[in-house]
Amino acid sequence: MSRRRPYPNDDDDGYDRFCRSKRRRVSGDQEMEEHLETLIYRIGEKSKTSLESNLEGLASVLEAYLSKYRTKVLRLLTDCAVKMPEKCTTYTTIAGLMNAKNYNFGGEFVEQMVRIFKEALKSCNWDTARYTLRFLADLVNCHVIDANSLLNLLDSMLDVAKEDGVPDVRRSWFIYAVLYCLPWVGRELYEKREAELDMLLTTIGVLLNKRSKKHVPALRVWTIDVPHTQEEYLDCLWEQIRKLRQDNWQEKHIPRPYLAFDSVLCEALQHSLPTLLIPPHDDSYVYPKPTVIFRMFDYTDCPERGPVLPGAHSIERFLIEEHLHQIIENYHAERKECATHLIEFPYKSNIPLEYCIVEVIFAELFNLPQPRYLELFYGSLFIELSKLQTSSMPQVLAQATEILFLRIETMNTACFDRFVSWFGYHLSNFQYRWSWEDWEECLKLDHEHPRPKFIKEVLLKTMRLSYHQRIRDIVPRSYECVLPPRPDPFYKYTAEGSSSLPGTQVAQQLMAAIKNRCSPEDLLAILKELPNPLEDDEGPEARYNPLKIDVFVQTLFFLGSKSFSHSFAAIGKFNQVFKLLADGEEAQLCILRSIYELWRNHQQMICVLIDKMLKIQLLECSAVANWIFSKEMSHDFTKLYIWEILHLTINKMSKYVNRLSRELSEAREKLARSGAGSSSGDESDDSLTGRGDDKPTEEMVERMEERLETAQGDQKNLFLIIFQRFIMILSEHLVRCDTDNKEFDNYWYRWTIGRLQHVFLAHHEQVQKYSSTLETLLFTQDLDPHILDVFHQFVALCS
């Protein structure tokens, strides 16, 4: 559904124009339908006349054309009710006025909304279900739906939360959906059905007290509750509802245009909701993951003379944040339009809008397990907001950055990475200007402390978007200790003292031959001259030649060091040489070591080369994982680029498995259709159209099944390698600290346990498939509780 139709002259009043077109008797049903569509979609936007007048006019127009365009009007109103949740009360008012004028139409509308709600539950479209339920609740305020029938529906929702043997995330969603409606309909229920409402709230309180919260530590942006408590989303909303109840269900944020028509609406006949059977749980259902509410500001952070930021447990805070989240959801595909709608927030005079916007955007960026949209979107949105509000937004954003930096020691590791990426990108769009002198003091801290590490990683990130000398020029001289080195290759075969290295002479021959555009066969002939150092231990049957690999890889990539494209061209030309030399995981580890030795001062080049070689299957994912956890990489183990490589490796494997699974499903569907078609005589039709060759055979499907099974085995093996290595290094650290009577909870431990948690969260959908295997083989009860707890948090998150 288009959210906005092009319209000349936004300030013109749509209803006068519609009536003029009616008088002119515009021919054609299509044009008339477009007029209706425009009026319905645009209701509530800026106009010279009041909203109440526009609503009354629209209701009259719709009633006049209801006999001819009944189906169209019904579809448009239900679409808007679901897809424009920020204008919920506007459309409930329209529904109320229409119901007062035409009771039968009101009944059809309610039936359609109930049907949408049931379909949303069946199809696991949880946002649509939540918005539809809230819309039905608000129809009680417009005297369209009877309050008793709504309470019965809410009770049946809570009955689902009492079910045994279903995931906690299912129970939590149904409780949340009920709580979500109460700010809109709570006052009406309080006035007319107070006893039933109290019983409903009592039931919710009991259900919430029974919930397990093992997953909460894994979802917190901050590990401590100072200065702001990090509450689980249901607990936070429950406290906000309790505060609203104390205030007699009075709130100051929700627009209620139907109050102006109370004398008309109260005379209308009401409809009762039918008894709904909630679809039972199915193992294929995917429920929304729980979240922890992100808090960064309170009223003390905002200007004293401006509007006051609502408290964390006020319902206004929830409503404002929900509205801002909806704006981002509606306009995330257009950052400029999204920024404009955020700045034009309808209640900006009553709140410190810039602080609310910044907190909500960071809440989405830091959301765990994953942000809703690309991280780049949030960075570009901040840039657009800074352009629109040059007098205030940059200052608030700078204040937020300082707050995040001061609290970075207790920040979740995954959020730390996102903070680094965002800040580096943001600086690159504002000429790298920052008050660097304010952070000089933290450079004296341990290099593994989050603050100096943040600065170093940000400078590395900005260097990817600029160049080395530019980064040197933007920071004071005192930052020398955290400045990245020049990203030049270190080619040991031309370095000082290289004449004594084995292979130097062949490396020079190889360089000359490549410059003369030799063929892969010529290159292999030159490499044959190199002896195999492994023959002393393994004899002539040694599986690979590390010296041959090192000379070839370092020389080839040194010659291709001018750019990524040069390196890719080199890989493409000598692809077969790589395949011959990298026959086996140990040989691939040698390739990785050689790449690291050459490009140890250029982290981005290492990431890009490994990504490319994984893509064309010159490297296996298991080899990359083993290299990351090898002893020679221990000094880089806590650096961000190492984990960037690990995550892209896991993602490569996951995409491969998903592609094979999708292709197999499509092949099975085609085979089933072809079988059904053959039995009904469609085979001759295919032979005539020439499409018979597209039909897979049973043998082809069997081969695809074997490929998928092999890929899933490789994926499971990859996760087993990664988690086994994590357990080994963490267990060794804990034992060593215990033996030496040292504190185990140092910076290295926090980074490493944070990385383990990050792998679980970032790839929870894939890891979940193998959780029982992991529990049986690795995360057993005899494991140290500090490590085991991370696994249990992950299991609780997905249960």
Side-chain angles (χ1 to χ4, degrees), residues 30 70 79 86 88 157 169 301 304 308 329 340 384 439 500 518 548 648 662 728 770 787:
Q30 184 176 357
R70 193 182 196 90
D79 275 359
E86 72 279 10
C88 169
M157 298 278 286
V169 283
D301 297 306
E304 292 183 5
V308 178
E329 178 184 354
T340 301
E384 295 301 328
W439 289 356
S500 61
C518 70
K548 189 184 291 187
L648 71 84
R662 186 174 61 253
M728 287 171 60
Y770 311 112
I787 306 171

Side-chain angles (χ1 to χ4, degrees), residues 635-654:
H635 52 284
D636 279 12
F637 191 70
T638 60
K639 294 180 180 178
L640 263 64
Y641 86 97
I642 287 291
W643 303 102
E644 181 183 348
I645 293 172
L646 182 66
H647 289 298
L648 71 84
T649 301
I650 297 173
N651 287 333
K652 279 282 188 295
M653 175 61 77
S654 299

Side-chain angles (χ1 to χ4, degrees), residues 19 156 176 203 220 281 320 344 365 396 565 696 711 735 755 774:
C19 292
S156 68
Y176 181 73
T203 303
R220 291 165 58 112
H281 169 68
I320 291 165
E344 293 177 352
L365 176 61
V396 176
S565 298
V735 170
R755 292 300 171 191
L774 293 172

Side-chain angles (χ1 to χ4, degrees), residues 585 589 592 614 620-630 637 645-646 649-650 717-719 721-723 725:
E585 186 172 306
L589 287 171
L592 290 164
L614 283 169
E620 295 176 5
C621 295
S622 57
V624 177
N626 279 317
W627 170 71
I628 286 173
F629 287 93
S630 61
F637 191 70
I645 293 172
L646 182 66
T649 301
I650 297 173
N717 183 54
L718 176 63
F719 284 124
I721 290 171
I722 292 170
F723 292 125
R725 292 305 187 95

Side-chain angles (χ1 to χ4, degrees), residues 1-2 5-7 18 21-22 25-42 58 61-62 65-77 79-80:
M1 181 186 73
S2 171
R5 295 181 56 80
Y7 219 104
F18 184 83
S21 69
K22 178 184 172 185
R25 302 296 181 190
V26 176
S27 61
D29 289 345
Q30 184 176 357
E31 191 164 350
M32 189 64 70
E33 288 182 0
E34 288 180 357
H35 274 298
L36 289 172
E37 189 174 334
T38 300
L39 292 176
I40 293 173
Y41 287 171
R42 294 287 307 280
L58 177 59
V61 168
L62 294 180
Y65 287 89
L66 203 57
S67 59
K68 189 173 183 180
Y69 301 104
R70 193 182 196 90
T71 304
K72 178 74 173 180
V73 170
L74 193 62
R75 184 185 63 79
L76 289 174
L77 287 177
D79 275 359
C80 291

Side-chain angles (χ1 to χ4, degrees), residues 167-169 212-220 288-290 368-370 412 650 719 723 753-776 778-779 785-799:
D168 288 340
V169 283
S212 168
K213 300 177 187 177
K214 184 73 175 178
H215 60 279
V216 172
L219 301 176
R220 291 165 58 112
K289 292 288 184 289
L368 295 167
Q370 296 284 9
N412 182 286
I650 297 173
F719 284 124
F723 292 125
I753 205 77
R755 292 300 171 191
L756 172 61
Q757 191 178 66
H758 189 188
V759 171
F760 273 121
L761 289 178
H763 310 283
H764 63 275
E765 293 179 356
Q766 290 76 32
V767 179
Q768 186 178 4
K769 295 183 289 188
Y770 311 112
S771 58
S772 59
T773 304
L774 293 172
E775 187 172 16
T776 303
L778 298 178
F779 294 94
H786 297 93
I787 306 171
L788 193 59
D789 199 41
V790 176
F791 178 71
H792 287 160
Q793 290 170 15
F794 159 74
V795 172
L797 174 65
C798 298
S799 65

Side-chain angles (χ1 to χ4, degrees), residues 101-196:
K101 295 173 183 289
N102 191 319
Y103 178 77
N104 290 333
F105 177 82
E108 291 177 34
F109 179 76
V110 171
E111 287 178 9
Q112 185 66 15
M113 291 303 299
V114 171
R115 191 177 300 115
I116 291 172
F117 179 61
K118 289 166 67 176
E119 287 300 320
L121 291 177
K122 287 180 183 177
S123 60
C124 298
N125 197 337
W126 305 111
D127 283 345
T128 297
R130 177 164 53 93
Y131 294 147
T132 307
L133 182 65
R134 183 185 66 179
F135 195 90
L136 291 171
D138 201 44
L139 287 176
V140 173
N141 296 321
C142 301
H143 301 274
V144 177
I145 291 177
D146 175 60
N148 275 335
S149 64
L150 176 70
L151 284 166
N152 291 335
L153 173 59
L154 298 182
D155 284 335
S156 68
M157 298 278 286
L158 293 182
D159 287 340
V160 175
K162 301 174 186 176
E163 294 174 352
D164 295 324
V166 298
D168 288 340
V169 283
R170 174 179 169 88
R171 299 192 194 96
S172 296
W173 184 86
F174 279 92
I175 297 172
Y176 181 73
V178 172
L179 286 174
Y180 185 77
C181 301
L182 294 182
W184 278 263
V185 74
R187 180 70 184 179
E188 186 76 7
L189 296 179
Y190 170 68
E191 291 177 350
K192 296 182 177 179
R193 297 289 185 273
E194 184 178 2
E196 291 87 341

